[in-house]
Amino acid sequence: AGTEEAFLEASLANARESSKEEGIARFDVVQQIDDPTKFVLVEVYKNGDAPAAHKETAHYLKWRETVADMMAEPRSALKFKNHFPAVSGGWDYPEGAKLEANWTLKKLRVLCLSSYFFFGGGAYEIFEKATTSHLGKQRIS
């Protein structure tokens, strides 16, 4: 605790540069409302080579070094395959898009975020364990 603003500043600087990379469709920085010490970086890549290329950029290396001592626990990554939207136009930033608002981030509120997943063969328990360990939440019903 206490490094949230510095982590956010470093992550936003990384995201701004990352969003310009050819291989990145989206790079979102989100902060948990009820626990502002928790962040999720959502990175959507256009091809299989893009993640490795991203990790070689100066802005990523600077971010990694800057935030290394801010981590309460080691970074972790979950990888997903996108099924919808199935075209890049559903993810890509439009040319010249304004990616930041004029108001301060503290005034921004998330009104609703809903996700529905269908699992079989024990996958739900794996998903539940992974998500609740990151969110610090109890079982989702």
Side-chain angles (χ1 to χ4, degrees):
T3 60
E4 297 87 9
E5 289 298 323
F7 181 86
L8 179 59
E9 183 180 320
S11 296
L12 289 174
N14 181 48
R16 287 181 192 108
E17 293 304 313
S18 297
S19 67
K20 299 173 187 175
E21 290 177 46
E22 182 62 34
I24 292 186
R26 288 190 64 91
F27 196 107
D28 299 348
V29 178
V30 294
Q31 185 176 21
Q32 190 170 319
I33 292 173
D34 61 343
D35 185 350
T37 66
K38 294 184 179 177
F39 292 83
V40 175
L41 306 181
V42 180
E43 305 169 34
V44 180
Y45 294 96
K46 295 179 182 179
N47 58 61
D49 296 329
H54 169 66
K55 290 180 179 172
E56 294 176 8
T57 62
H59 56 270
Y60 169 79
L61 295 171
K62 180 180 179 183
W63 172 83
R64 188 179 71 183
E65 182 180 329
T66 301
V67 303
D69 293 334
M70 296 180 196
M71 301 290 180
E73 58 190 58
R75 289 183 292 131
S76 62
L78 299 172
K79 294 177 176 50
F80 296 89
K81 178 181 178 185
N82 184 60
H83 292 283
F84 186 87
V87 296
S88 63
W91 288 105
D92 288 339
Y93 298 117
E95 186 67 34
K98 184 175 180 183
L99 300 179
E100 296 186 74
N102 289 331
W103 61 84
T104 63
L105 292 175
K106 291 181 181 179
K107 293 182 181 178
L108 182 64
R109 296 288 184 259
V110 175
L111 299 178
C112 180
L113 176 61
S114 298
S115 298
Y116 297 92
F117 298 92
F118 298 92
F119 300 98
Y124 178 79
E125 288 76 16
I126 295 168
F127 174 79
E128 179 184 42
K129 182 178 178 183
T131 55
T132 57
S133 70
H134 290 291
L135 297 176
K137 299 290 182 187
Q138 299 299 314
R139 183 179 176 95
I140 303 167
S141 301

